[in-house]
Amino acid sequence: MMISERLEADLKIAMKAGERTRVETIRNARAALQSAQLEAAKQRFDAAARAIEAEHAHDPAAREAALAAIDAQGRVSLTAEEQEAVLTKEVKRRYEAAEIYRKAGRMELAAVEEAELAILQAYLPRMLSVEELRPEVAALIAELGLSGPAAMGKLMPTLIERFKGRADGRALSQVARELLANG
């Protein structure tokens, strides 16, 4: 089941149960997905318009007819990976907001952000912990033949690509620093 479908089903359940925080969080997540979907549709429309402009550059009548034929209202469905990326961005936004609130001594606002973060994380695949990452990162460091803190620049892009959607960037960076400093 796609994330958007799960959100829709869970919204109905949360509304019936009267869970205000959950309802609001799910609505915000659905709005973020819809915004990403509209942006994807806009990009597709713009790409089609550029192609038509290039193809019919010397025939204004044909260009206008082709541009008029583009479906401006075309809906673009986000893939599961794109939906995960949108929710990951929402989780990150809430994590950072909670961190800022904690530093400012606003614990009640940090708690609200953390509650929303926990709700959203339920829709994403489980992230690997630092303990789970350590052996895999160590194996990659050995495979690439890297050592010393100066190798961070070479290691991080590979780590981010390999663990995309499975590990947080902060955790990856922390483990990589530890292993490169000790190795």
Side-chain angles (χ1 to χ4, degrees):
M1 181 185 276
M2 295 282 281
I3 291 173
S4 57
E5 294 165 346
R6 286 179 51 208
L7 285 169
E8 187 173 341
D10 289 352
L11 178 62
K12 291 176 186 175
I13 294 167
M15 288 173 77
K16 287 179 184 175
E19 299 173 349
R20 293 188 67 189
T21 303
R22 189 173 200 77
V23 168
E24 187 176 321
T25 303
I26 291 172
R27 282 183 174 159
N28 288 337
R30 290 182 70 203
L33 287 171
Q34 185 176 23
S35 178
Q37 192 172 18
L38 289 172
E39 182 60 30
K42 179 188 178 304
Q43 288 177 359
R44 187 184 75 185
F45 178 84
D46 290 348
R50 282 192 300 275
I52 288 170
E53 291 282 343
E55 185 178 333
H56 300 292
H58 301 294
D59 187 0
R63 183 179 67 230
E64 291 304 316
L67 285 172
I70 295 177
D71 181 15
Q73 299 301 319
R75 295 200 54 124
V76 174
S77 294
L78 297 176
T79 65
E81 293 80 24
E82 290 169 329
Q83 288 184 15
E84 275 184 29
V86 170
L87 281 190
T88 299
K89 192 181 294 185
E90 290 296 306
V91 165
K92 182 178 179 185
R93 191 172 64 80
R94 283 168 178 82
Y95 176 82
E96 290 171 352
E99 208 171 81
I100 290 169
Y101 286 139
R102 253 188 260 101
K103 286 180 184 175
R106 301 294 307 267
M107 298 308 170
E108 68 284 353
L109 294 175
V112 169
E113 294 293 334
E114 288 168 347
E116 290 181 7
L117 179 130
I119 291 167
L120 292 176
Q121 282 180 326
Y123 296 95
L124 295 171
R126 189 182 75 78
M127 295 291 192
L128 296 172
S129 69
V130 171
E131 291 76 30
E132 293 169 317
L133 284 172
R134 198 167 274 116
E136 292 190 46
V137 173
L140 182 62
I141 290 171
E143 177 185 321
L144 297 174
L146 301 174
S147 64
M152 273 298 277
K154 292 179 182 176
L155 179 61
M156 282 308 292
T158 307
L159 286 176
I160 290 170
E161 182 63 34
R162 185 165 293 180
F163 293 101
K164 187 175 187 175
R166 295 179 38 220
D168 177 53
R170 286 186 180 100
L172 286 172
S173 178
Q174 174 190 345
V175 170
R177 272 188 221 298
E178 287 175 13
L179 293 174
L180 287 172
N182 296 335

